[in-house]
């Protein structure tokens, strides 16, 4: 499915200047870390990810000339300050493109913990871009929506297309994500071993500018395209024993950059390390499971769907693991029909 | 003190073809990881370390024509296989240089856990080089002794000179360590938070050849000289707030290389990560403590001696810390007078 598959919903949204969209977070197999342009969020290197079907953010955008300014509510709590400014910046791009002047009322809810290494901003800005564009009467052109999402949060560009998505560097119009395989291509499971629900001390947006202060970042960026090529080839061939070592290596390289930046970013916790060590043990026991870790302490355990129950049971026994969130590959960011939106609280 | 300060002991050793030497392990502030020549153990980059006064290895070497071959006893247990071969290789260099033909009886004891990330091979081969050279009648020339130690274990080159030692790359004769400051230069403490006493799955000698399989190693090597320059400048100025961030960065960069090599080496355990996180917290509480980590899970906490008791007490409260070993800066590898050797069991 793409956004193009919902012509009636897009027409209705434009008519009512109101739309609700759902987007999944994504887990990067090849990581995004560092920009060539921070304001435009143009990434230093290409990246590759999988949308996470089990988790989502639902966002409603309603343009209303009666409002004095944009308003934002996240999980029932009114938001102001930097969070609202970041949303308004994306809405301003949409308004400029669509010729809309009205402020917007934005209401957003997620079914997963925000700010703990699960890409909450990716789902949030993908949903905002799609709902905002629809409510403003823009056409459902995936690349344009991916660009809008990227301007809010780089990795959000990858939550717009469906399934397994690649995001290439480029200029403002060209740096967009596209699907390389639909969700049904491969029954992979992502089991997020949650070791902390705390909000990160340094979020991704604050971290990206630090990437260039690490003496390892140039090497990380230089090797990313080749790792992406190997990862993509293995992914398209559904070969987890070829893909797994690449995603582990890529994750560790990103954290090597983070830990050696000035100031350093240490996202890992003791339970993170326990899970890294355990993954190799579980493989020795016959499971095809590999780890990856975003900008946070939680560990994403990637395995074939048929091994997910085994891996989940083992992960829950690791000291410090508070929960395990299970996701299959997820679809694209898309509009919800009025009424349907209440199915996704 | 240098080995030159013991002319009587060296003369007596040559006469009796028997000598006993004591050497300390050292903790690297700028790490050695990877060689340009594995057989000669010529390092890929310069490194910098501090001898650890609290820990030592005592080794007696006795050349005896009546022996059929070299024998080795470590901590009361006869050793054969690769361990003995590695010792014989260094003895062969000594024999060739001294024109000695006799096999040797080597007895070695350490007062610290072997193979757990404390540089046991550094102390062992420094003590072997000094005792072996003295027993073979070679002169007490520090650079020559450092070279002999290096041939047994790269980092052992740094356990031969006194106090704070620098080891530069070079050719077989030129790649030796030298003291940049004596132990009394700076009352630093190294508190080793021992989180595992297990023997490492992959020792340093097995790990060095893997360094070049990491895409980060070239960048690590390229930056080492500059980090060493900053570290040395801070060390000579006794400025821990300048030295600390450099040693943490250098340690993390080495572990980034290890974790991204093929196959990867994950030396850290959950308690390692807890100590990394705690160090920053303790600094926020006013302690001038910084971490470094060798090729193992144990964390070396470096702080001014007057803060050592506070840091030790805090480290002992971290889950997974089994012991804390305290060291001041240590002296050079040196001979022990007969009788004196029993003071160091």
């Amino acid at each position: 499915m793409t956004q193009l598959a919902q012509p009636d919903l897009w027409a209705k949204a434009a008519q009512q200047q109101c739309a609700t969209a759902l987007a999944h977070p994504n887990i990067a197999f090849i990581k995004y870390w560092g920009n060539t342009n921070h304001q435009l969020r143009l990434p230093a290197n290409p990246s590759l990810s999988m949308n996470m079907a089990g988790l989502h953010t639902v966002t409603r955008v309603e343009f209303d000339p009666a409002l004095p300014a944009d308003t934002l509510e996240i999980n029932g709590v009114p938001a102001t300050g930097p969070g609202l400014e970041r949303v308004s910046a994306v809405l301003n791009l949409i308004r400029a493109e669509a010729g809309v002047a009205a402020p917007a009322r934005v209401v957003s809810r997620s079914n997963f913990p925000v700010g703990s290494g699960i890409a909450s901003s990716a789902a949030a800005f993908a949903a905002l871009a799609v709902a905002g564009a629809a409510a403003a009467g823009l056409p459902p052109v995936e690349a344009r929506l991916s660009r809008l999402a990227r301007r809010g949060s780089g990795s959000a560009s990858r939550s717009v297309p469906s399934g397994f998505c690649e995001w290439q560097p480029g200029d403002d119009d060209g740096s967009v994500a596209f699907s390389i395989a639909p969700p049904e291509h491969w029954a992979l499971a992502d089991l997020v071993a949650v070791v902390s629900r705390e909000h990160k001390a340094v979020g991704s947006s604050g971290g990206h500018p630090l990437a260039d202060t690490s003496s390892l970042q140039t090497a990380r960026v230089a090797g990313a395209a080749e790792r992406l090529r190997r990862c993509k080839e293995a992914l398209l061939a559904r070969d987890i024993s070829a893909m797994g070592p690449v995603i582990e290596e890529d994750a560790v390289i990103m954290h090597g950059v983070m830990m050696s930046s000035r100031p350093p970013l240490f996202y890992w916790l003791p339970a993170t390390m326990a899970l890294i060590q355990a993954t190799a043990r579980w493989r020795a026991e016959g499971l095809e499971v590999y780890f990856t870790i975003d900008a946070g302490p939680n560990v994403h355990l990637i395995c074939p769907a048929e091994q997910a129950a085994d891996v989940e049971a083992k992960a829950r026994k690791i000291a410090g693991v508070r929960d395990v969130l299970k996701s299959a590959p997820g679809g694209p960011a898309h509009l919800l029909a009025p009424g349907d939106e209440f199915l996704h609280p």
Side-chain angles (χ1 to χ4, degrees), chain A:
Chain A
M1 184 172 89
T2 69
Q3 293 76 23
L4 278 172
Q6 306 182 294
D8 294 349
L9 288 178
W10 280 78
K12 194 161 198 169
Q15 198 180 9
Q16 302 185 335
Q17 297 210 293
C18 178
T20 302
L22 177 150
H24 302 292
N26 65 75
I27 175 64
F29 293 157
I30 300 297
K31 304 295 186 189
Y32 155 53
W33 193 247
N35 295 315
T36 54
N37 182 316
H38 293 301
Q39 205 215 324
L40 298 179
R41 299 181 197 275
L42 297 177
N45 64 278
S47 55
L48 187 65
S49 62
M50 178 183 107
N51 287 341
M52 298 164 67
L55 312 177
H56 59 249
T57 297
V58 172
T59 299
R60 190 181 65 206
V61 176
E62 184 180 8
F63 289 104
D64 181 352
L67 284 173
D70 294 331
T71 66
L72 172 63
E73 183 190 300
I74 300 175
N75 295 324
V77 180
T80 55
L84 174 58
E85 284 166 30
R86 207 166 149 192
V87 164
S88 285
V90 173
L91 291 172
N92 287 342
L93 292 173
I94 292 170
R95 278 186 285 250
E97 208 168 318
V100 169
R105 186 178 295 113
V106 179
V107 179
S108 184
R109 283 164 300 161
S110 297
N111 72 343
F112 58 97
V114 169
S116 60
I118 296 164
S120 56
S121 66
F125 281 98
L128 176 73
V130 170
L138 291 177
V141 178
E142 188 178 88
R144 300 299 297 161
L145 299 170
S146 178
R147 168 188 166 267
L148 286 169
R150 188 202 80 223
R151 292 290 293 267
S153 172
S155 57
S157 66
R158 296 188 310 241
S159 279
V160 170
S162 184
F164 301 90
C165 300
E166 179 177 339
W167 171 29
Q168 284 288 340
D171 63 13
D172 186 25
D173 287 329
S175 182
V176 298
F178 49 91
S179 177
I180 61 164
E184 56 275 18
H185 166 70
W186 194 5
L188 275 186
D190 176 5
L191 300 160
V192 190
V194 178
V195 303
S196 171
R197 291 183 177 281
E198 279 178 46
H199 210 291
K200 292 181 280 188
V202 177
S204 297
S205 282
H208 283 287
L210 290 179
D212 289 326
T213 69
S214 164
S215 63
L216 303 180
Q217 170 71 349
T218 301
R220 193 194 72 80
V221 168
E226 172 60 14
R227 289 192 295 277
L228 188 145
R229 191 196 61 71
R230 287 163 56 209
C231 182
K232 185 175 176 176
E233 185 177 285
L235 194 158
L236 294 176
R238 300 183 194 88
D239 182 349
I240 195 158
S241 66
M243 189 176 85
V246 185
I247 72 173
E248 291 195 347
E249 182 182 324
D250 192 82
V252 157
I253 286 175
M254 178 176 75
H255 283 273
V257 167
M258 291 163 161
M259 293 190 274
S260 61
S261 65
R262 302 176 192 173
L265 297 172
F266 291 101
Y267 285 117
W268 295 356
L269 295 176
T272 311
M273 211 60 232
L275 287 156
I276 289 174
Q277 299 278 7
T279 306
R281 271 201 318 275
W282 298 336
R283 279 202 300 274
E285 294 167 17
L287 290 170
E288 296 175 293
V289 57
Y290 296 86
F291 71 81
T292 185
I293 309 168
D294 271 353
N298 299 329
V299 177
H300 294 246
L301 300 163
I302 310 296
C303 67
E306 65 269 23
Q307 299 182 2
D310 275 3
V311 172
E312 179 179 348
K314 284 176 187 285
R316 286 191 184 276
K317 285 182 193 151
I318 299 288
V321 171
R322 296 167 186 216
D323 199 0
V324 176
L325 309 175
K326 185 177 164 182
S327 283
H334 61 276
L335 293 184
L336 296 181
D340 197 32
E341 62 195 78
F342 300 108
L343 297 174
H344 304 276

